[in-house]
Amino acid sequence: MKVLVTGGAGFIGSHIVDLLIDEGYQPVVVDNLSTGNLGFLHEKVPFYKENITSSNLEAIFAKERPDIVIHHAAQVDVSQSIQNPYDDAVSNIIGTIQLLDCCIKFKVKKFIYASSCAVYGDAGDLSINEGYPIQPISFYGISKYTPELYIKRFQQLYGLTYTILRYANVYGPRQTPKGEGGVVSIFREQLKDNKQPIIFGDGQQTRDFVYVKDVARANILALKKGQNEIFNIGCNTKTNINDLFKLMNTMTKKQLLPKYKPQRKEDIRFSQLNNNKATQLLGWKPKYDLTSGLEDTIFD
Ligand SMILES: NC(=O)c1ccc[n+]([C@@H]2O[C@H](COP(=O)([O-])OP(=O)(O)OC[C@H]3O[C@@H](n4cnc5c(N)ncnc54)[C@H](O)[C@@H]3O)[C@@H](O)[C@H]2O)c1
């Protein structure tokens, strides 16, 4: 079965491609390499350096005829979305619409979309499920949510089956110290270089950290299950940034002290995703807790 992975040269996408190969699928990758890295990609995977907003996309679909599309290409930097909401929207909204059009034209059987906990905005210090009100506070949150509406409507109008995965904060090997979930990779770099890490705000803000290999497995399960459903993909745990830093300091045997800077307006305060629905309908549960995931990440 042929699976086209957009953003497949990126952090999460490249782990999905690796798992697709292990499981006997045929991945094909479209990525403009704006943040991706060809070095992450298995050498035998057909690769198209292309923007998902390009008019060349249709020719790629015509040539490759994918059975399933896993869509991960996106502008992923929350601060960047505040500085340049237009480019963020073009990549994340218009790019997704163009992909959906191609899916209909070339009779793709399923569309799997990487959404984000950013769609919920500030939910309070609660574990939230998929029915929680959508209140994004960044343009990134808006541009990740709007495609969900298009995907649902494409399903209703044209029968394109979908699964939407709303990720918590993903971390793991190959993550660059940028983007929305990058705090682990930022601390990792700073600890490695003995540079004083910066924490925005008081460090009491919480995140639900989920390991990238668990996220890749959720995508593989979604190839066959979870039809026309939305799932939170997180560990249903909360870790505050001060505790994360202390843990990484200890694991790397460093004794660095963080420097505190003012909180950023676009940052949510709390995040914790209830994953019961993914467990029940996808058969997905995270296999890595934070310590085991960090061991793989720090010592990679
Ligand atoms: N990392 C997280 O914590 C997290 C959390 C929630 C959701 N997500 C979503 O997961 C997906 C992957 O994120 P990631 O963390 O791996 O980031 P990433 O930057 O490593 O991956 C994105 C990939 O998409 C490519 N890309 C970007 N814009 C493109 C375009 N217009 N056309 C073609 N390729 C393009 C980049 O070159 C990169 O390889 C994104 O959709 C992101 O919104 C990530």
Side-chain angles (χ1 to χ4, degrees), residues 6-13 30-37 40 50-53 71-76 91-92 113-117 140 144 165-171 174-176 180-182:
T6 72
F11 161 50
I12 303 171
V30 174
D31 196 302
N32 67 359
L33 298 181
S34 53
T35 54
N37 181 339
F40 293 162
E50 199 55 82
N51 200 308
I52 52 165
T53 58
H71 177 31
H72 278 63
Q75 190 301 111
V76 299
S91 240
N92 296 2
Y113 173 61
S115 186
S116 168
C117 58
Y140 171 78
K144 290 304 289 183
L165 303 173
R166 290 182 184 152
Y167 302 154
N169 279 67
V170 190
Y171 70 98
R174 301 181 191 161
Q175 186 169 34
T176 55
E180 69 161 329

